[in-house]
Amino acid sequence: MAHEPQPYPLNAEAVRTWSSLALAALGRAREDIDAINVYPVADADTGTNLYLTAESADRELADLLAKVTDGTAETSLPQAVRAFAHGALIGARGNSGTILAQLLRGVADVLGDEPAGRDPARLLAQALTRAAEEAYRAVAHPVEGTMLTVATAAARAAEAAAGTAADVAGAAYDGARAALAETPGQLAALGRAGVVDAGGCGLVAVLGALWQALSGREPAPEPIRGRAVPVPTSPEPCAEEHGGPGYEVIYLLEAAETEVDRLRARLDSLGDSLVVVGGDGLWNVHVHVDDPGAAVEAAVAVGRPYRIRITHFGDERRRARGERSQRAVVAVVQGEGLAGLCGEAGATTVLARPGEPPAVAELADAIREAHAREVVLLPNCAELRAVAASAAQQARADGVRVAVIPTRSEVQGLAALAVHDPDGTFDEDVVAMTAAAGATRYGELAVAERQSFTSAGICQAGDVLGLIDGDVAVIGTGLAQTAEAVLARMLGSGGELVTLVLGPEAPEELAGRLEAYVQHGHLAVDTVTYRGGRWSAPLLIGVE
């Protein structure tokens, strides 16, 4: 006679099992969820974003448990659930992943402060209720028929359930499944496409993993409604087609809670799909905007943003049309204006702040988020070559073909992007981009912070340093004069095009002066000028 499996206790090991099962479930459903993603933007990456968010959460939890190696201590439920939620917060991707991070934070708010002697079943029900409430508060303009609706239905079912924690988890799972089936009738975009909500579908998988972790029973695999039907060739109009925002901006933000309402108000006026999640001084911000620089500036006004990612929706529209084998370019840039410029050229950008280069994991995540089988990576900094190589190696292990072009400056990256041909073969494209970058000499102006020895002599604090191909070639006292001296040396060996990227402190008249200088001495040389934006160098120069 078969015995019913015994429920497992709600403890740290259960959280670890839940995390592993949720990651596996999202991994299995990832492509199917991507295929039904039509709201709020048909970008075909909800499954991928949920998976990457869960992967970050699982990694943080595994790191916590790995620290307990001597057998003298055990990880508590509060410690485990807080690590789980924190990992999701710092690794949240996209709209759906950001909401999932806030749901897990809501769970941690209850289970992370576990009172002794409390009934685990009631505790879990309260945690799921808090999760739904906090997720609604995190979204600027909640919409029914989304994963928010599914989360609320799961919480109501959990509160009404009796029995063990496993019974509560099972009721939440059943409630979520029932609510998911109703989403096409609640949201017109889903009804027209004949699919359920993609984010809600991922949440059902996560709740199924919770039930399995506590009950020992494996949820029966069920078809994802709509996965047999491709996303329509004319889904909900994408950003540029209906005049909506053209960029997705995501970043982590260190800021006081008192400043977050001001940030929300500013970002809400700039775009849509705004989700701000987190607490205790650390926030994950997601928004769709036309002006990515303004979205980052809003963060700077209230705190310290980092891990900034800016994605142009031109790439998302290609994904929505099912072009999943497209080639992508990932570029590291220092400067908001440069990020927007590279985004317009179709690149996924990783915005680096001075002195804060991206880590291997951040570049590897950006490659994955590009959602392409072939990726060209532009590190745009000599010091990032090893980091870029490691990130590429990680992505190759996932089956992505990655080529790292050894660009040492953003102007070399711009030259490579200018010849990028996504319709050509991968090898031909990489060769052409590498040749364009290699044919571009790069210069940079910087201000010396202290007295030091350079290849051009001794400089004093406040001197303007003119660097050519990474070495100090000129020491001057003024920006314009030093720039002209650098241009004279760079154009001495010839050139057809000069690219000037002005930093935020560069005066407006500098561009005109330098353009006139080039035209006067080199009639056949063209000049193009861009604004680098916040965090870019005082002046970047490229000569092709």
Side-chain angles (χ1 to χ4, degrees), residues 32 34-38 192-195 225-235 319-322:
D32 290 333
D34 282 345
I36 64 170
N37 174 203
V38 298
R192 286 194 294 271
V195 297
R225 181 177 168 187
R227 73 176 181 183
V229 181
V231 173
T233 54
S234 297
R319 295 175 196 169
R321 293 194 294 267

Side-chain angles (χ1 to χ4, degrees), residues 114-139:
E114 177 191 13
R118 288 286 302 277
D119 177 10
R122 290 304 90 209
L123 204 60
L124 180 59
Q126 292 167 12
L128 294 174
T129 298
R130 178 76 65 85
E133 292 171 349
E134 293 198 2
Y136 262 97
R137 282 195 291 268
V139 178

Side-chain angles (χ1 to χ4, degrees), residues 346-364:
T348 294
T349 59
V350 177
L351 184 55
R353 293 181 57 169
E356 298 180 13
V360 172
E362 189 172 356
L363 287 188

Side-chain angles (χ1 to χ4, degrees), residues 93 304 306-309 330-335 348-367 377-391 410:
R93 301 291 185 268
R304 173 181 172 268
Y306 60 104
R307 291 197 186 179
I308 303 164
R309 284 179 293 278
V330 174
V332 181
V333 295
Q334 186 169 292
T348 294
T349 59
V350 177
L351 184 55
R353 293 181 57 169
E356 298 180 13
V360 172
E362 189 172 356
L363 287 188
D365 285 346
I367 293 171
L377 179 57
L378 305 174
N380 295 335
C381 176
E383 286 73 23
L384 281 179
R385 291 181 64 176
V387 173
S390 297
E410 283 89 347

